[in-house]
Amino acid sequence: MLIFVGVLLTLLIPLVVLGLGYFRVRRSYQLFIIPITTLIALVLVFTNVGKLPVSIQFPNLSPVSYFYESPMLLVDNISWPFVISILTLVLATFLFDIAHLENLSPYYWAFIQFFGGLGIIAVLSGNPLTILIAWSVIDITECIALLRSVAKSRDRENVVISLSVRITGIVLVISAMIIAQGMGNPLSFNEIQ
């Protein structure tokens, strides 16, 4: 269960860093918090290896269920190494960026940690609905970040085209889920070879 606490750290600490920036807390404190919490999340994941598999089933929030299952996170022997890999890559990014600390923005690190947390949620998806939600949030977050960083209209157009292709893929998966459920064979990761 502490694995999910580590995942929550990677998603919530970037918001805390944004709040600290709003209250004008020193940049060095903000830059200290982010890698430390990533390291703590990595340790939490490593310490709970013996307690696999672990899953969390979220309640269905809508009064009418359009999907067979509600969102679920699953940590098992397949997803666990990917979680370790993502956290290690995020931490390695911070360690390599320390050489350029005077030019570094804490918001940049916060975005990297948040994006890593979203990637972990996608890896821990226990059913197609959860992975679709994770993909959607990742795509929207990436689109917002790219639109803020590019200045040319041609580059902005490419970002929007890329997002529309990804949304088309998500719509195709949703339609496959609806067709499979209509045929009485709900699409789940257990059914996919």
Side-chain angles (χ1 to χ4, degrees):
M1 199 66 169
L2 289 176
I3 292 174
F4 296 115
V5 173
V7 173
L8 280 176
L9 278 176
T10 61
L11 293 172
L12 295 179
I13 292 301
L15 301 175
V16 170
V17 167
L18 292 176
L20 291 175
Y22 179 75
F23 291 113
R24 302 191 193 284
V25 174
R26 289 180 48 192
R27 197 182 100 205
S28 59
Y29 292 134
Q30 296 173 28
L31 290 174
F32 178 73
I33 290 172
I34 296 172
I36 293 300
T37 55
T38 304
L39 183 63
I40 290 170
L42 190 61
V43 168
L44 288 174
V45 171
F46 266 122
T47 57
N48 287 305
V49 173
K51 300 174 184 171
L52 297 180
V54 178
S55 66
I56 293 180
Q57 184 84 30
F58 295 102
N60 195 356
L61 299 177
S62 64
V64 178
S65 178
Y66 295 106
F67 297 101
Y68 178 69
E69 298 176 321
S70 60
M72 180 176 74
L73 296 177
L74 173 68
V75 183
D76 57 2
N77 292 331
I78 296 171
S79 62
W80 176 80
F82 291 106
V83 173
I84 295 292
S85 300
I86 291 171
L87 285 173
T88 304
L89 286 172
V90 169
L91 190 60
T93 303
F94 299 150
L95 293 177
F96 285 122
D97 277 350
I98 287 178
H100 308 287
L101 198 55
E102 66 278 353
N103 299 329
L104 195 60
S105 167
Y107 303 120
Y108 175 72
W109 276 13
F111 178 75
I112 290 172
Q113 187 181 37
F114 184 74
F115 208 69
L118 291 176
I120 291 171
I121 294 294
V123 165
L124 296 180
S125 298
N127 55 27
L129 178 61
T130 311
I131 203 164
L132 287 175
I133 294 169
W135 280 348
S136 301
V137 173
I138 288 171
D139 291 343
I140 290 169
T141 304
E142 182 184 13
C143 181
I144 290 170
L146 288 174
L147 286 175
R148 290 188 65 184
S149 66
V150 297
K152 296 179 184 176
S153 63
R154 180 70 181 150
D155 294 335
R156 289 179 179 267
E157 181 180 327
N158 289 338
V159 169
V160 172
I161 289 171
S162 172
L163 179 66
S164 63
V165 168
R166 292 175 184 179
I167 289 174
T168 303
I170 290 171
V171 168
L172 288 174
V173 174
I174 290 173
S175 61
M177 290 172 61
I178 292 172
I179 290 171
Q181 187 172 354
M183 294 173 60
N185 187 18
L187 187 64
S188 69
F189 288 154
N190 297 332
E191 303 295 324
I192 298 173
Q193 297 295 328

